[in-house]
Amino acid sequence: MATKKQFLREYVKAIRDGNAAVFAGAGLSRPSGFVDWKELLRPMADDIGLNIDEEHDLTAVAQYVRNKSGNRAAINSSILDAFSKDVSTNENVTILTSLPINTYWTTNYDQLIENGLRDANRNSDVKIEYKQLSNTKRSRDAVVYKMHGDVDHAADAVLTKDDYIQYDRNHPFFRSVLQGDLISKTFLFVGFSFEDPNLDSILGQIKLLLDENIRNHYCFMKKVTQTDSMSDEEYGYQKAKQDLREDDLRRYGIQTIFIDDYSEITEMLKELEKAVLANNVFISGSIDCFDAEWPKAKIEELAYKLANHLVKEGFKVTSGFGIGIGSSVINGALDEIYTNKFQHMDEHLCLRPFPQGIEDQTERNARWEKYREEILGNNGVVIFMVGNKKDTVSGKKTVADGCLREYQIAKELSRVIIPLGTTQDAAAVIYNEVKNEKEQYPYLEKYWEILGTEKNIDTIVSAVMAIVEAQRAV
């Protein structure tokens, strides 16, 4: 049995390293209103005189339906009816498709994963038939392998016993590709019952090949509990069966995370998302007017060292190229990237300069608002420093309203907010508001004085690094 903490730690690491994958079963789609395999077959089983609740080999039931009718028309029609309806993407799908995971496998016929990726502004490369395996979609963000077919190709869906027997002939290479992914990636199985003959065969082959060197994977399983209608003997049987299933999955490297209620899956996925996003840090700020306490050289040094230390510790820094700060953030990040990060700039630095040249003020405000929402949606930590600009009419210093708006969005998204109030202006406004609600920011408890008054750059940077490291840890 895997602990929740172990799962989060190892799967977050796999996501950061680019080695994470998801295998989705019917349970992932059920909250959106789609049926599982048993419910799909129930009316067809009734038609041929079978009680689906008494049957354990569902592939055989599907085969009986096919044999009785003489063709697949009834099966194809059921798939179309069950999976063509308009449903909403559920929260678990939304989280999983928003995360920077590049590989998704599913036995589901529905299109929730593809739709979730599209909603997250990610370009999916969907593989339904073997001829698509050799093609690579341009600018893809994720690959979705639908190893049992798709609702739009119901006639080719894998469901009957014959479909499984002929799988390698009709779907060549799918098993081989999955086998390779199971060897090289860390999988999270969601909504999967592990009763699929294809997966069982693949896991057995990997076990035979790698023995004790098999990779760790994870799955969720609801703990057997004794209900009022369940006898002690029946409960003991179900519990023993579950323990045996856990032991069997462990043979294949699949560690079970037991839950009491399915809502716990959503809570764990939220924690997973938060930990992954905590690796992405947005430095918000601008400065048009300097003073004796924070002269130009000192502000630039602070921005440089913040970015440099963050990249050094493996964080990804995002900059909106704020005036007076953006260049130093970029230089600090790049110096570390080119020295010690094998020049992998995209892994450690994201540049998001705001769109310019939009004369219409209303359109400009709308565009910038959406831009801010996108930036903050992709970053779990926001550092606010300075935040001032010259008033276009008076020429006098004023607080940068853009920084204040970014704070509001960050607050709405429950991001980790680190205001360097000591640098004054918008950062000071944010610092004072946050401090007045300090119970909502327990991670800042030890650092209020440093963030509010400290002028030593190294002390400030050390405090910020301690805060972000604590947020990234799981």
Side-chain angles (χ1 to χ4, degrees), residues 436-453:
N436 285 335
E437 302 173 340
K438 61 169 60 179
E439 68 280 355
Q440 297 182 31
Y441 306 92
Y443 52 86
L444 299 179
E445 184 179 353
K446 300 177 183 177
Y447 306 100
W448 289 115
E449 187 174 349
I450 293 174
L451 297 177
T453 62

Side-chain angles (χ1 to χ4, degrees), residues 38 42 45-46 48-56 58 61:
K38 179 179 282 190
R42 184 179 295 278
D46 288 342
I48 61 173
L50 291 180
N51 181 354
I52 197 70
D53 295 319
E54 299 295 326
E55 301 297 327
H56 300 289
L58 299 182
V61 174

Side-chain angles (χ1 to χ4, degrees), residues 108-367:
N108 299 341
Y109 309 126
D110 62 69
Q111 299 174 347
L112 281 180
I113 293 177
E114 302 96 298
N115 292 341
L117 288 166
R118 184 194 63 221
D119 292 344
N121 199 30
R122 303 181 68 202
N123 187 20
S124 63
D125 187 357
V126 182
K127 310 294 186 184
I128 301 169
E129 56 179 46
Y130 74 93
K131 293 177 182 178
Q132 295 172 311
L133 295 175
S134 60
N135 300 323
T136 301
K137 188 176 181 180
R138 186 176 182 182
S139 301
R140 71 184 186 188
D141 298 303
V143 186
V144 181
Y145 297 98
K146 308 193 75 170
M147 65 181 299
H148 285 176
D150 180 86
V151 61
D152 290 339
H153 305 271
D156 300 319
V158 176
L159 187 62
T160 69
K161 185 160 283 189
D162 277 352
D163 293 333
Y164 279 93
I165 292 171
Q166 300 170 21
Y167 188 83
D168 280 338
R169 187 189 73 183
N170 296 333
H171 300 79
F173 312 121
F174 265 85
R175 281 181 176 171
S176 298
V177 175
L178 177 57
Q179 188 173 14
D181 279 347
L182 285 164
I183 290 172
S184 63
K185 300 178 186 295
T186 298
F187 271 74
L188 172 61
F189 293 87
V190 185
F192 204 80
S193 63
F194 294 99
E195 294 175 354
D196 186 86
N198 266 337
L199 185 62
D200 196 52
S201 171
I202 293 166
L203 291 170
Q205 291 172 9
I206 294 172
K207 171 67 175 172
L208 185 65
L209 288 169
L210 299 181
D211 196 23
E212 299 302 317
N213 298 310
I214 197 165
R215 195 181 188 95
N216 265 352
H217 308 290
Y218 295 92
C219 74
F220 298 116
M221 189 179 295
K222 189 176 182 182
K223 197 182 301 179
V224 170
T225 54
Q226 188 169 8
T227 62
D228 294 337
S229 62
M230 188 183 292
S231 67
D232 291 344
E233 184 179 1
E234 188 178 358
Y235 168 70
Y237 176 80
Q238 294 296 333
K239 180 68 171 62
K241 186 177 179 181
Q242 186 171 76
D243 291 343
L244 291 170
R245 169 54 63 91
E246 180 196 359
D247 291 341
D248 194 51
L249 289 174
R250 195 183 299 117
R251 285 193 308 127
Y252 301 133
I254 300 174
Q255 309 300 320
T256 304
I257 308 151
F258 284 106
I259 56 174
D260 294 315
D261 188 86
Y262 289 118
S263 62
E264 292 178 40
I265 296 177
T266 304
E267 294 307 312
M268 270 188 274
L269 292 181
K270 285 180 178 177
E271 287 190 48
L272 179 69
E273 180 183 38
K274 183 178 179 182
V276 170
L277 286 176
N279 201 62
N280 301 339
V281 182
F282 175 46
I283 299 179
S284 170
S286 62
I287 182 165
D288 223 359
C289 305
F290 300 89
D291 59 27
E293 211 168 38
W294 285 100
K296 186 173 186 290
K298 193 171 182 179
I299 286 293
E300 289 178 345
E301 183 184 356
L302 176 58
Y304 177 96
K305 284 189 173 180
L306 278 172
N308 189 267
H309 280 69
L310 285 165
V311 171
K312 187 176 294 184
E313 295 304 320
F315 290 89
K316 183 173 184 177
V317 174
T318 296
S319 172
F321 217 87
I323 187 168
I325 289 175
S327 294
S328 298
V329 169
I330 293 166
N331 290 338
L334 287 177
D335 281 355
E336 177 61 26
I337 290 168
Y338 283 117
T339 303
N340 298 310
K341 301 297 181 182
F342 305 101
Q343 300 185 20
H344 295 174
M345 188 174 77
D346 290 344
E347 293 179 21
H348 301 285
L349 180 62
C350 176
L351 302 181
R352 297 294 302 267
F354 280 71
Q356 303 296 321
I358 305 172
E359 294 183 6
D360 184 273
Q361 186 68 30
T362 302
E363 182 184 350
R364 179 174 177 267
N365 291 343
R367 187 83 62 87

Side-chain angles (χ1 to χ4, degrees), residues 26-79:
L28 182 64
S29 301
R30 201 175 298 124
S32 289
F34 287 126
V35 297
D36 59 16
W37 199 2
K38 179 179 282 190
E39 294 308 314
L40 175 67
L41 291 172
R42 184 179 295 278
M44 291 183 282
D46 288 342
D47 290 343
I48 61 173
L50 291 180
N51 181 354
I52 197 70
D53 295 319
E54 299 295 326
E55 301 297 327
H56 300 289
D57 188 349
L58 299 182
T59 63
V61 174
Q63 188 64 50
Y64 299 154
V65 172
R66 162 70 177 80
N67 296 344
K68 196 75 172 175
S69 63
N71 57 53
R72 283 184 57 111
I75 292 174
N76 297 344
S77 177
S78 293
I79 291 173

